[in-house]
Amino acid sequence: MTTARTIIKKALQKIGALTKNESPSADEANDGFDALNALIGSWSNDSLSIYARGWETFSLTGASSYTIGSGGNFDTSRPTNIVEAYVRSGTIDYQLTIIDDSSYNSISFKSLLSIPQFLNYDNSYPLGIIRLYPIDSASYSLFLLTEKALTEFATLDTELSMPPGTERALIYNLGIDLSPEYSQPISQEHAKTAMESLGLIRTKVAQVRGMDAYPQNLAVRNIYSGWAY
């Protein structure tokens, strides 16, 4: 467990803006707090910095699109990325292929009713938008494997539990972000540690994630068989 105040203090000490026995002033702590949460928010856009993915289930209603996020049709925290998805009818699961905006827009008859085969995620904010094709018949459940934004600190003294190595990576990378405000040069050793500590997190995440480039519905498709739009 650690706090934002602890990370900020250590980051300023690492760059020489504070001595070992000094603590940041209220103004310095508040500036560091904003910078720390901004750094965490930036890492949330990097899939390899998000250490956990989670499955969630939602009931479909036959709508042409669904909002997802706090207060949306799917009332949960907004995903930064949908990694995998399938629909279930009874005891049978139907894998969905995730397609980009261009692929979805190329579908000429979007109101077709059938078993969904494709999912398009419009990563809008504050509510994302999920579109399925074909449109479901309101008798399916949607299962999503998602990545969510990393948890930011609520206050300077909020205690937050982090995976191994995360605190060290935040301290050194926050130091780099704060160094211009304190006119402190970053040593090669500090920059190397910042890079290596974040790299170790990404390496550990990558070890448990498949890198195969096969279609998610396991169907073999090519220029001859095409895609079933």
Side-chain angles (χ1 to χ4, degrees), residues 69-111:
S70 180
N73 301 129
F74 300 155
D75 193 4
T76 183
S77 55
R78 170 185 165 276
T80 57
N81 184 32
I82 296 178
V83 181
E84 190 174 346
Y86 63 90
V87 294
R88 174 176 293 172
S89 177
T91 59
I92 301 177
D93 294 339
Y94 301 91
Q95 191 76 23
L96 298 173
T97 297
I98 298 174
I99 59 176
D100 59 23
D101 292 348
S102 296
S103 297
Y104 180 79
N105 291 335
S106 69
I107 299 172
S108 58
F109 184 59
K110 295 180 175 63
S111 58

Side-chain angles (χ1 to χ4, degrees), residues 3-4 11 16 35 72 75 78 80 83 101 106 112 123 127 131 148 156 171-172 199 207 211 224:
T3 66
D75 193 4
R78 170 185 165 276
T80 57
V83 181
D101 292 348
S106 69
L112 177 67
N123 200 17
L127 295 176
R131 301 180 182 90
K148 302 292 185 73
L156 278 165
I171 289 170
Y172 278 88
Q207 287 177 349
M211 298 296 175
Y224 302 106

Side-chain angles (χ1 to χ4, degrees), residues 116-136:
Q117 299 180 49
F118 301 97
L119 180 147
N120 168 248
Y121 180 49
D122 182 341
N123 200 17
S124 53
Y125 186 87
L127 295 176
I129 301 174
I130 290 174
R131 301 180 182 90
L132 299 177
Y133 176 79
I135 296 175
D136 64 275

Side-chain angles (χ1 to χ4, degrees), residues 20-227:
K20 186 174 181 61
N21 297 321
E22 287 182 316
S23 295
S25 67
D27 183 62
E28 291 170 337
N30 288 329
D31 285 347
F33 178 76
D34 291 340
L36 175 58
N37 276 340
L39 177 62
I40 294 172
S42 181
W43 286 5
S44 294
N45 292 317
D46 178 5
S47 182
L48 288 180
S49 296
I50 299 176
Y51 49 85
R53 293 169 168 173
W55 282 101
E56 295 180 282
T57 308
F58 306 98
S59 296
L60 298 177
T61 62
S64 58
S65 65
Y66 303 87
T67 56
I68 184 168
S70 180
N73 301 129
F74 300 155
D75 193 4
T76 183
S77 55
R78 170 185 165 276
T80 57
N81 184 32
I82 296 178
V83 181
E84 190 174 346
Y86 63 90
V87 294
R88 174 176 293 172
S89 177
T91 59
I92 301 177
D93 294 339
Y94 301 91
Q95 191 76 23
L96 298 173
T97 297
I98 298 174
I99 59 176
D100 59 23
D101 292 348
S102 296
S103 297
Y104 180 79
N105 291 335
S106 69
I107 299 172
S108 58
F109 184 59
K110 295 180 175 63
S111 58
L112 177 67
L113 296 177
S114 185
I115 301 172
Q117 299 180 49
F118 301 97
L119 180 147
N120 168 248
Y121 180 49
D122 182 341
N123 200 17
S124 53
Y125 186 87
L127 295 176
I129 301 174
I130 290 174
R131 301 180 182 90
L132 299 177
Y133 176 79
I135 296 175
D136 64 275
S137 58
S139 61
Y140 297 92
S141 296
L142 175 64
F143 290 75
L144 299 176
L145 178 62
T146 64
E147 295 173 353
K148 302 292 185 73
L150 298 170
T151 303
E152 298 180 3
F153 287 91
T155 69
L156 278 165
D157 298 304
T158 299
E159 290 191 339
L160 203 59
S161 180
M162 297 181 173
T166 303
E167 182 178 354
R168 181 169 180 254
L170 284 172
I171 289 170
Y172 278 88
N173 283 277
L174 179 62
I176 292 176
D177 280 2
L178 292 176
S179 61
E181 299 180 32
Y182 294 88
S183 301
Q184 295 293 323
I186 294 297
S187 66
Q188 290 184 349
E189 291 78 10
H190 185 114
K192 181 180 178 182
T193 302
M195 183 181 300
E196 288 183 347
S197 58
L198 181 57
L200 287 171
I201 294 173
R202 291 169 171 166
T203 299
K204 183 56 63 176
V205 171
Q207 287 177 349
V208 297
R209 295 189 183 172
M211 298 296 175
D212 294 333
Y214 295 108
Q216 293 184 349
N217 63 0
L218 304 183
V220 177
R221 303 185 187 277
N222 52 45
I223 58 174
Y224 302 106
S225 61
W227 293 90

